Amino acid sequence: MTYANPAWRRYNEGLARISDDGRSIGPIVAVGCGHFIQKDGPGFVSDELVSLLDRVVNRVEQVSERGGST
């Protein structure tokens, strides 16, 4: 955890910069979840999907920061 997590975080931050400016809110950390986020935090996954669909369908502005996501 001490050595691998910082490297994974940097990698994921790089992935989040692939998209256009202002179109990414990542990386998002699913606090309290293990590798299988959908099993460990179904509410978290549901909230993220609802937010994504709201942005796509209703063209709602994306927030750049999420509470509890870091």
Side-chain angles (χ1 to χ4, degrees):
M1 297 295 269
T2 300
Y3 299 104
N5 279 351
W8 275 115
R9 179 147 184 99
R10 285 190 301 275
Y11 174 77
N12 288 320
E13 287 170 348
L15 289 177
R17 287 192 295 267
I18 290 173
S19 62
D20 297 333
D21 286 341
R23 295 185 59 106
S24 173
I25 58 172
I28 300 170
V29 177
V31 177
C33 295
H35 184 75
F36 297 103
I37 297 168
Q38 72 279 11
K39 179 179 175 271
D40 298 338
F44 174 83
V45 174
S46 172
D47 290 346
E48 289 300 315
L49 285 172
V50 167
S51 176
L52 174 65
L53 289 170
D54 192 36
R55 291 191 310 265
V56 171
V57 172
N58 299 317
R59 299 176 191 254
V60 173
E61 284 292 318
Q62 176 171 291
V63 292
S64 59
E65 298 258 343
R66 281 279 190 27
S69 64
T70 57

